[in-house]
Amino acid sequence: QERSYGGEFYSRETSKPLFMKHKLLTVQNIYRLRSIMELVKIVQSKEPGPLYQALSISIRNNNRLLTPEPSIYFLYKAPWMWNNLRKTVRNIGFENDENLIISLLRNSLLS
C-alpha cells in the first residue's frame, strides 16, 4: 500500500530556536570554533613549526593574519575565519588567554 504525504508533512521545521535556547552550537559553528582555536594555539606556541611558518602575520597589526590564495585547506580557512571574527569581536587577539578567546568566540557564534 502506497502512502501519499501532503505538503504539511514536508514543511521545514527549524531547530534554531532550540539551539539558541540551550546554547548549542551547530556543526558549522563547532568547525569554526575548533579551527580558530587550533590556529590560536599554533600562533601562541609557535608549534608545530612548519604550520606556524606557513602563516603570514601582518606587519602593521600582529593580530591579523594575511591569507594565502583562497582554498579549502586549513592554512586559508582558519586565518580567514580569524580575520572575520576580529571584525565582530574587537577585544580579541592572540595575546588573550585561551579561555577568554573561547568565551568570546562562543558568544559571537551564538548571537
Side-chain angles (χ1 to χ4, degrees):
Q1 206 177 40
E2 198 171 310
R3 286 192 175 181
S4 176
Y5 295 105
E8 66 278 349
F9 178 79
Y10 293 106
S11 67
R12 188 173 181 163
E13 291 185 38
T14 178
S15 58
K16 189 168 184 171
L18 248 172
F19 276 70
M20 296 299 285
K21 178 182 175 186
H22 296 289
K23 298 186 183 207
L24 298 173
L25 294 175
T26 62
V27 172
Q28 294 87 353
N29 286 340
I30 292 171
Y31 171 76
R32 286 185 189 108
L33 177 75
R34 294 299 310 153
S35 294
I36 291 173
M37 288 315 303
E38 288 303 317
L39 178 74
V40 168
K41 288 177 188 178
I42 291 168
V43 171
Q44 287 179 343
S45 69
K46 299 180 181 175
E47 292 290 329
L51 273 177
Y52 178 73
Q53 291 169 357
L55 296 171
S56 299
I57 299 174
S58 171
I59 296 169
R60 292 185 296 164
N61 182 349
N62 61 358
N63 282 315
R64 186 176 179 336
L65 294 168
L66 305 176
T67 55
E69 241 181 80
S71 72
I72 59 169
Y73 300 108
F74 177 82
L75 287 175
Y76 169 74
K77 288 286 192 181
W80 182 81
M81 287 187 279
W82 171 260
N83 291 336
N84 283 337
L85 173 68
R86 293 199 61 249
K87 291 176 187 174
T88 58
V89 182
R90 296 285 180 199
N91 302 336
I92 200 165
F94 291 121
E95 69 279 351
N96 294 119
D97 177 58
E98 212 175 289
N99 292 328
L100 176 63
I101 294 173
I102 290 173
S103 175
L104 292 170
L105 177 56
R106 190 171 171 79
N107 290 340
S108 171
L109 293 171
L110 287 171
S111 62

